[in-house]
Amino acid sequence: MNQAFEQELHHFGPDGTAPTMTVQAATAYCRQFTAQQYENFTVVSWLLPRKLAQRFYPVYAWCRWADNLGDEASSPEEALHLLSWWEQELAACYEGRPRHPVTIALQKVVEDCLIPPQPFLQLIDAFRQDQHVREYDHYPQLLRYCQRSANPVGQLVLYLAEQYNAENAALSNNVCTALQLTNFWQDIRRDWENLQRRYLPTADCQQFGYSLDDFQQKRFTPQFQQLLTFQVDRAQRLFDAGKPLVGRLTGPIRHDVALFIRGGEAILAKIRQQNYDVWKSRPKLSKWGKISLLLGHLFGRWR
């Protein structure tokens, strides 16, 4: 388990002894916890007004805690136990008796933004699935996983921005699934080496003649290049299908959504630039690459 998160779990886990926090202290905890996390893109960018940024911290902290409980546990059994505990903490939050600093801060946010529990519960369900599903036979199975592991995050963002409706949610789902798939293709090697997970659908591998032994030996072949070209193009089509969401949103949140789309597309471009050989090196944006995305977006906004 990650040492930093192990300490968090020691203090605030099911057997933790940390005293109950005030709402102000819990909100400060979520802000600090969020700032310590690494992501491809800034979690709460400076484009957001303070009020909206404050809402993001508890939601992001809740999602990151759930993710860590699933991925950082010493065994699938421990992960399932911890995820059940986290689900109970969520229920306590919705029942008006939160105990954990994250759910203490989250309670006011879900009340102010009228967020139902379903997106949170879907995320927990996805993290549970991770404990026993390590590969996917067909692309539709992978899409169903994304519906619970990625799409709820976009729905939460819409609730936080008070712009949730069925049309926006459908477009957001395209963007979030595209971001999830982009992350899968970016991290093919890392997911296999660290988590023994294979997200390339078996049927697609067979279609392009890329065997399980090829995958296990991390071979870059013409078949793998064709296979990943196919997957990258799929993700791009989902980004294209979700882009109208930006024009439907109002306020600063539209700029963050646009940046996330551009960031995901930039990762896809990196994969193409290295000739789809993600076995050799992990495609990622440099610090200056992220800054150039931001400046390019702001230039287009001001123009």
Side-chain angles (χ1 to χ4, degrees):
M1 180 177 291
N2 176 280
Q3 187 175 3
F5 186 68
E6 187 174 10
Q7 293 177 349
E8 295 287 337
L9 197 59
H10 174 73
H11 290 297
F12 303 112
D15 300 319
T17 58
T20 303
M21 290 187 180
T22 64
V23 174
Q24 292 77 10
T27 301
Y29 167 84
C30 292
R31 183 170 59 250
Q32 181 181 14
F33 180 80
T34 299
Q36 294 170 346
Q37 308 304 307
Y38 168 78
E39 294 293 328
N40 277 333
F41 318 109
T42 303
V43 176
V44 182
S45 85
W46 58 269
L47 292 173
L48 289 177
R50 178 176 173 81
K51 177 182 177 181
L52 191 52
Q54 292 299 320
R55 291 176 175 176
F56 269 86
Y57 295 128
V59 170
Y60 178 83
W62 188 94
C63 294
R64 178 51 64 188
W65 258 83
D67 192 16
N68 287 343
L69 292 173
D71 279 351
E72 299 289 346
S74 60
S75 68
E77 292 74 21
E78 183 189 21
L80 291 172
H81 168 70
L82 291 172
L83 287 169
S84 292
W85 162 74
W86 198 233
E87 186 175 21
Q88 293 169 7
E89 293 297 313
L90 178 70
C93 173
Y94 274 88
E95 293 166 4
R97 48 182 183 86
R99 300 175 291 247
H100 192 279
V102 170
T103 54
I104 290 172
L106 183 65
Q107 182 184 15
K108 178 172 173 52
V109 175
V110 298
E111 290 175 352
D112 290 347
C113 300
L114 304 177
I115 305 176
Q118 193 61 27
F120 297 109
L121 293 173
Q122 287 177 325
L123 288 170
I124 290 178
D125 189 41
F127 297 138
R128 283 195 177 111
Q129 180 173 319
D130 286 336
Q131 307 312 310
H132 58 85
V133 177
R134 302 284 174 171
E135 58 187 39
Y136 292 83
D137 293 332
H138 302 282
Y139 181 64
Q141 293 176 329
L142 188 61
L143 286 183
R144 286 195 291 272
Y145 172 70
C146 293
Q147 288 170 3
R148 288 173 289 121
S149 68
N151 297 359
V153 176
Q155 294 165 21
L156 288 170
V157 170
L158 291 174
Y159 277 112
L160 292 173
E162 300 179 19
Q163 298 185 55
Y164 182 92
N165 57 54
E167 294 80 6
N168 286 353
L171 292 170
S172 172
N173 290 344
N174 286 325
V175 172
C176 291
T177 295
L179 287 168
Q180 178 77 90
L181 293 177
T182 297
N183 182 247
F184 287 157
W185 312 149
Q186 175 188 32
D187 282 338
I188 286 176
R189 178 168 187 155
R190 192 161 70 173
D191 286 337
W192 177 245
E193 291 180 344
N194 297 345
L195 302 171
Q196 289 295 291
R197 291 177 187 162
R198 176 169 61 89
Y199 293 103
L200 284 168
T202 300
D204 294 346
C205 292
Q206 293 173 345
Q207 176 185 342
F208 287 93
Y210 193 70
S211 69
L212 178 59
D213 184 65
D214 288 331
F215 183 90
Q216 292 174 337
Q217 298 303 318
K218 296 172 282 194
R219 296 189 183 107
F220 179 70
T221 65
Q223 291 78 13
F224 180 83
Q225 183 186 47
Q226 295 169 11
L227 170 63
L228 202 56
T229 299
F230 180 71
Q231 305 297 352
V232 165
D233 289 346
R234 266 179 167 169
Q236 183 61 63
R237 287 195 294 272
L238 283 167
F239 277 127
D240 292 340
K243 284 179 181 178
L245 175 64
V246 177
R248 292 177 56 91
L249 298 176
T250 59
I253 189 63
R254 68 183 301 180
H255 305 299
D256 276 60
V257 171
L259 279 174
F260 271 92
I261 292 173
R262 289 192 178 194
E265 290 181 317
I267 293 295
L268 294 182
K270 284 284 186 181
I271 294 175
R272 296 186 189 101
Q273 289 169 13
Q274 60 188 63
N275 204 29
Y276 301 92
D277 189 358
V278 295
W279 289 123
K280 182 178 180 179
S281 62
R282 180 179 185 266
K284 59 182 181 180
L285 298 181
S286 66
K287 176 181 178 181
W288 296 110
K290 297 174 189 178
I291 291 174
S292 67
L293 277 177
L294 177 60
L295 292 178
H297 176 74
L298 290 177
F299 177 77
R301 171 188 174 190
W302 291 330
R303 183 176 57 186

